[in-house]
Structures are given as structure tokens and as C-alpha cells.
Amino acid sequence: MRAPVYAVPVLAALAALSLAGCSRDKAPDALETRGATTAAGAPVAAAVPADAPVILAFGDSLYAGYQLDQGQSYPARLQAALNAAGVKARVINAGVSGDTTAAARQRLAFTLDNQPRKPALVMVGLGGNDMLRGLPPAQTRANLDAILAELKRRGIPVMLTGMLAAPNMGADYVAAFNPIWPALAKKYDAALVPFFLQPIIARPALQLPDHMHPNAQGVDAIVAATQPAVAQALAKALNG
């Protein structure tokens, strides 16, 4: 997989993001996502049926909704979009800003054990903070492997939303980091979104001032790009 061509402001932001945008500013929401709104703040009428299967969004700030209002996070907007499209789903936001794969690995069992209902699908969105901190790709791979192994042990299907290393991390780092997600998706028969941030790269109007995290409009762009794959993964999980 080739590294993305980031705009110059994105490269600068990637180098500084661990200081500016990845602090643990928001605890994971173990409750149901609710109060979804449009990017303009208008409520979305997308009732969640009581029997809707649960999708657990387990990740970092890109799931947690960094600097966004309640209801504007990716899990909240994904839930609204799925139900509006007739796909019953309750999406639980278990994103923690600043999480590395190691930190997420440590909290996985606690998060799963404290869900009121067993998830039908777990979305795993991690690795960006590992890259920003320059952590060895081998550690990232080992931690993600352990997370997927635990989910497999519990009989929970998985969808990976992948990350790519910024080119300024160096060719060797990129070559070791980028293949992690497709390799693990193949190993665990997991659904894969190759690069979660693809819809907002080099599109400042869809980004927060850090040029990395999506703003509310950016979240909607990511939801639009990923919703079909999520719906397909959920259907496979329920019928497989």
C-alpha cells in the first residue's frame, strides 16, 4: 500500500499532533450514542430500534469525536446514517483520545465486559498515535494482533479502519507501518477500510485547525465513504 500524499500543512500537523491534538480529553462513552445532529446542528430523526444489533467503535480520537459537539462524533453520525438508510444499528462510542494500540489493548477486556449487550461487530480504529509518537511498527502490529485475537476468542467479528504513515516518517517506517492493516485483516478475516482519513486528506474545509482531525463536515464525509462497508460488514456478521 502506498503512503498518501499529504498537503504540506498536514505534514506539519502530523509532526505536532501528539502535543496539539491527541491528549486524553474525552473519556469513552460506554452508553448508547444518542442525540445525533447534522453538521449544522439540526437533529436527525433516525430512531434506533430496541432490537438493533450493537456496533462497538473501539478506537482513539478519530472515534471519540475530538473537539466536536455531542452527536457529531463518527459513531454518532454513523449510527444516524445507518438507521436512516434502513440498516438497524446501535453504535457505541468506545473511543479514547490519545490512545495508542498499547493503551487500547489494556482496556479492551474491561470495555467488552462492561457492555450491556455483546456487540455484533467491533470496529477497531487505532494506530495513528503510535505513528505520531514514532513507536516501532512491530509494536503496533503486535498490539493490534492481540486485540483481534481477543475479539476472535470471544466470537466477535471485526472491522478495521486503517491508518497510513506520513511520508516524512521515512521510507523504512512507511514500509513497515502501512501493511499492518491489510495483513491483519487477511489473517483474521476482518473487513477493512484501508485509510480512514482518506476523505479529508488535503481538504482543509473538512479538517480542524490541526489539519488532521475531521470537523463535523469531515466526519460526515468519512461516514459517507465508509457507511456501505460498515453495513456490509454488519450484514456478514449477522448472517455469517
Short mmCIF file of all heavy atoms in Angstrom, two decimals, residues 3-17 128 131-134 164-175 177-178 212:
data_model
loop_
_atom_site.label_atom_id
_atom_site.label_comp_id
_atom_site.label_asym_id
_atom_site.label_seq_id
_atom_site.Cartn_x
_atom_site.Cartn_y
_atom_site.Cartn_z
N ALA A 3 1.95 5.16 0.55
CA ALA A 3 1.63 6.21 1.51
C ALA A 3 0.87 7.32 0.83
O ALA A 3 1.04 7.58 -0.36
CB ALA A 3 2.92 6.77 2.11
N PRO A 4 -0.01 8.01 1.54
CA PRO A 4 -0.77 9.10 0.94
C PRO A 4 0.11 10.30 0.69
O PRO A 4 1.13 10.49 1.34
CB PRO A 4 -1.82 9.42 2.01
CG PRO A 4 -1.14 9.08 3.28
CD PRO A 4 -0.30 7.86 2.97
N VAL A 5 -0.27 11.14 -0.25
CA VAL A 5 0.44 12.39 -0.49
C VAL A 5 -0.29 13.47 0.31
O VAL A 5 -1.32 13.98 -0.11
CB VAL A 5 0.45 12.73 -1.99
CG1 VAL A 5 1.18 14.04 -2.22
CG2 VAL A 5 1.10 11.61 -2.78
N TYR A 6 0.26 13.80 1.46
CA TYR A 6 -0.37 14.80 2.30
C TYR A 6 -0.01 16.21 1.83
O TYR A 6 1.06 16.45 1.30
CB TYR A 6 0.11 14.67 3.76
CG TYR A 6 -0.26 13.39 4.44
CD1 TYR A 6 0.72 12.53 4.89
CD2 TYR A 6 -1.59 13.05 4.64
CE1 TYR A 6 0.38 11.36 5.54
CE2 TYR A 6 -1.94 11.89 5.28
CZ TYR A 6 -0.94 11.05 5.73
OH TYR A 6 -1.28 9.89 6.38
N ALA A 7 -0.92 17.13 2.06
CA ALA A 7 -0.59 18.53 1.82
C ALA A 7 0.45 18.97 2.84
O ALA A 7 0.58 18.39 3.92
CB ALA A 7 -1.85 19.39 1.96
N VAL A 8 1.20 20.04 2.52
CA VAL A 8 2.27 20.50 3.41
C VAL A 8 1.76 20.80 4.81
O VAL A 8 2.38 20.43 5.80
CB VAL A 8 2.97 21.73 2.80
CG1 VAL A 8 3.96 22.32 3.79
CG2 VAL A 8 3.71 21.32 1.53
N PRO A 9 0.60 21.51 4.97
CA PRO A 9 0.11 21.76 6.33
C PRO A 9 -0.15 20.47 7.10
O PRO A 9 -0.01 20.44 8.32
CB PRO A 9 -1.18 22.55 6.10
CG PRO A 9 -1.02 23.16 4.76
CD PRO A 9 -0.24 22.17 3.96
N VAL A 10 -0.54 19.41 6.40
CA VAL A 10 -0.80 18.15 7.09
C VAL A 10 0.48 17.56 7.62
O VAL A 10 0.54 17.04 8.73
CB VAL A 10 -1.50 17.16 6.13
CG1 VAL A 10 -1.70 15.83 6.82
CG2 VAL A 10 -2.83 17.73 5.70
N LEU A 11 1.56 17.66 6.85
CA LEU A 11 2.83 17.13 7.32
C LEU A 11 3.27 17.85 8.59
O LEU A 11 3.75 17.22 9.54
CB LEU A 11 3.90 17.31 6.23
CG LEU A 11 3.76 16.41 5.01
CD1 LEU A 11 4.80 16.80 3.96
CD2 LEU A 11 3.94 14.96 5.39
N ALA A 12 3.11 19.16 8.62
CA ALA A 12 3.49 19.91 9.81
C ALA A 12 2.62 19.52 10.99
O ALA A 12 3.10 19.37 12.12
CB ALA A 12 3.36 21.41 9.53
N ALA A 13 1.33 19.33 10.72
CA ALA A 13 0.42 18.97 11.80
C ALA A 13 0.72 17.59 12.34
O ALA A 13 0.62 17.35 13.54
CB ALA A 13 -1.02 19.06 11.32
N LEU A 14 1.07 16.67 11.46
CA LEU A 14 1.37 15.32 11.91
C LEU A 14 2.54 15.31 12.88
O LEU A 14 2.56 14.56 13.84
CB LEU A 14 1.69 14.42 10.71
CG LEU A 14 0.50 13.97 9.88
CD1 LEU A 14 0.97 13.30 8.61
CD2 LEU A 14 -0.38 13.04 10.68
N ALA A 15 3.51 16.17 12.62
CA ALA A 15 4.68 16.22 13.49
C ALA A 15 4.35 16.76 14.86
O ALA A 15 4.98 16.41 15.86
CB ALA A 15 5.77 17.07 12.84
N ALA A 16 3.32 17.64 14.93
CA ALA A 16 2.99 18.29 16.19
C ALA A 16 1.74 17.75 16.86
O ALA A 16 1.43 18.12 17.98
CB ALA A 16 2.81 19.79 15.96
N LEU A 17 1.03 16.86 16.20
CA LEU A 17 -0.29 16.47 16.65
C LEU A 17 -0.27 15.80 18.01
O LEU A 17 -1.21 15.91 18.78
CB LEU A 17 -0.95 15.56 15.63
CG LEU A 17 -2.44 15.28 15.82
CD1 LEU A 17 -3.21 16.58 15.92
CD2 LEU A 17 -2.96 14.43 14.70
N GLY A 128 -2.88 5.63 14.79
CA GLY A 128 -2.41 6.96 14.46
C GLY A 128 -1.48 7.55 15.50
O GLY A 128 -0.46 8.17 15.18
N MET A 131 2.02 6.08 15.34
CA MET A 131 2.81 6.69 14.27
C MET A 131 3.30 8.07 14.67
O MET A 131 4.48 8.41 14.49
CB MET A 131 1.99 6.74 12.99
CG MET A 131 2.73 7.29 11.78
SD MET A 131 2.45 9.07 11.51
CE MET A 131 0.70 9.06 11.07
N LEU A 132 2.42 8.89 15.24
CA LEU A 132 2.80 10.24 15.62
C LEU A 132 3.89 10.26 16.68
O LEU A 132 4.69 11.19 16.73
CB LEU A 132 1.57 11.00 16.12
CG LEU A 132 0.51 11.30 15.05
CD1 LEU A 132 -0.76 11.82 15.69
CD2 LEU A 132 1.04 12.29 14.02
N ARG A 133 3.93 9.23 17.50
CA ARG A 133 4.97 9.14 18.53
C ARG A 133 6.19 8.38 18.05
O ARG A 133 7.15 8.21 18.80
CB ARG A 133 4.38 8.46 19.78
CG ARG A 133 3.23 9.25 20.38
CD ARG A 133 2.64 8.57 21.60
NE ARG A 133 1.44 9.26 22.06
CZ ARG A 133 0.79 8.99 23.18
NH1 ARG A 133 1.23 8.01 23.97
NH2 ARG A 133 -0.30 9.65 23.52
N GLY A 134 6.15 7.92 16.82
CA GLY A 134 7.30 7.20 16.28
C GLY A 134 7.53 5.85 16.91
O GLY A 134 8.66 5.35 16.93
N LEU A 164 -2.38 5.16 7.66
CA LEU A 164 -1.15 5.19 6.88
C LEU A 164 -0.17 6.16 7.53
O LEU A 164 -0.57 7.17 8.10
CB LEU A 164 -1.42 5.62 5.43
CG LEU A 164 -2.33 4.73 4.59
CD1 LEU A 164 -2.51 5.35 3.21
CD2 LEU A 164 -1.77 3.32 4.48
N ALA A 165 1.10 5.84 7.43
CA ALA A 165 2.13 6.71 7.98
C ALA A 165 2.37 7.90 7.06
O ALA A 165 2.32 7.78 5.84
CB ALA A 165 3.43 5.93 8.18
N ALA A 166 2.63 9.05 7.66
CA ALA A 166 3.00 10.22 6.87
C ALA A 166 4.35 9.98 6.20
O ALA A 166 5.25 9.37 6.79
CB ALA A 166 3.09 11.45 7.77
N PRO A 167 4.53 10.45 4.97
CA PRO A 167 5.78 10.20 4.27
C PRO A 167 7.02 10.70 4.99
O PRO A 167 8.10 10.14 4.83
CB PRO A 167 5.59 10.95 2.93
CG PRO A 167 4.11 11.01 2.74
CD PRO A 167 3.53 11.13 4.12
N ASN A 168 6.87 11.78 5.79
CA ASN A 168 8.04 12.29 6.49
C ASN A 168 8.50 11.41 7.63
O ASN A 168 9.49 11.71 8.30
CB ASN A 168 7.79 13.72 7.00
CG ASN A 168 6.66 13.82 7.99
OD1 ASN A 168 5.79 12.94 8.07
ND2 ASN A 168 6.64 14.90 8.76
N MET A 169 7.81 10.29 7.87
CA MET A 169 8.30 9.32 8.85
C MET A 169 9.47 8.51 8.28
O MET A 169 10.17 7.83 9.02
CB MET A 169 7.18 8.37 9.26
CG MET A 169 6.02 9.02 9.98
SD MET A 169 6.51 9.83 11.52
CE MET A 169 7.03 8.42 12.50
N GLY A 170 9.67 8.59 6.98
CA GLY A 170 10.77 7.86 6.35
C GLY A 170 10.29 6.61 5.65
O GLY A 170 9.31 5.99 6.05
N ALA A 171 11.00 6.25 4.59
CA ALA A 171 10.58 5.13 3.75
C ALA A 171 10.54 3.81 4.52
O ALA A 171 9.63 3.00 4.32
CB ALA A 171 11.51 5.01 2.55
N ASP A 172 11.50 3.58 5.39
CA ASP A 172 11.53 2.32 6.14
C ASP A 172 10.34 2.22 7.08
O ASP A 172 9.72 1.15 7.20
CB ASP A 172 12.84 2.20 6.93
CG ASP A 172 14.05 1.98 6.04
OD1 ASP A 172 13.85 1.63 4.85
OD2 ASP A 172 15.18 2.18 6.52
N TYR A 173 10.03 3.32 7.74
CA TYR A 173 8.88 3.31 8.66
C TYR A 173 7.59 3.07 7.90
O TYR A 173 6.76 2.25 8.29
CB TYR A 173 8.82 4.63 9.43
CG TYR A 173 7.88 4.60 10.62
CD1 TYR A 173 8.38 4.36 11.89
CD2 TYR A 173 6.51 4.79 10.48
CE1 TYR A 173 7.55 4.32 13.00
CE2 TYR A 173 5.65 4.74 11.57
CZ TYR A 173 6.18 4.51 12.83
OH TYR A 173 5.34 4.45 13.91
N VAL A 174 7.42 3.79 6.80
CA VAL A 174 6.21 3.64 5.98
C VAL A 174 6.06 2.20 5.50
O VAL A 174 4.97 1.61 5.56
CB VAL A 174 6.26 4.61 4.78
CG1 VAL A 174 5.15 4.28 3.78
CG2 VAL A 174 6.11 6.06 5.26
N ALA A 175 7.18 1.61 5.06
CA ALA A 175 7.14 0.24 4.53
C ALA A 175 6.77 -0.78 5.59
O ALA A 175 6.16 -1.82 5.29
CB ALA A 175 8.49 -0.12 3.91
N PHE A 177 4.96 0.11 8.49
CA PHE A 177 3.71 0.51 9.14
C PHE A 177 2.48 0.25 8.26
O PHE A 177 1.49 -0.34 8.71
CB PHE A 177 3.80 2.00 9.50
CG PHE A 177 2.66 2.53 10.32
CD1 PHE A 177 2.68 2.44 11.70
CD2 PHE A 177 1.58 3.16 9.70
CE1 PHE A 177 1.63 2.96 12.47
CE2 PHE A 177 0.53 3.68 10.46
CZ PHE A 177 0.56 3.57 11.85
N ASN A 178 2.53 0.68 7.03
CA ASN A 178 1.33 0.66 6.19
C ASN A 178 0.74 -0.72 5.94
O ASN A 178 -0.49 -0.85 5.85
CB ASN A 178 1.61 1.36 4.85
CG ASN A 178 1.77 2.86 5.01
OD1 ASN A 178 1.71 3.40 6.11
ND2 ASN A 178 1.99 3.55 3.90
N MET A 212 -5.63 17.52 10.75
CA MET A 212 -5.59 16.07 10.85
C MET A 212 -6.96 15.50 11.22
O MET A 212 -7.49 14.65 10.54
CB MET A 212 -4.54 15.63 11.88
CG MET A 212 -4.39 14.12 12.02
SD MET A 212 -3.80 13.34 10.50
CE MET A 212 -3.49 11.69 11.11
#
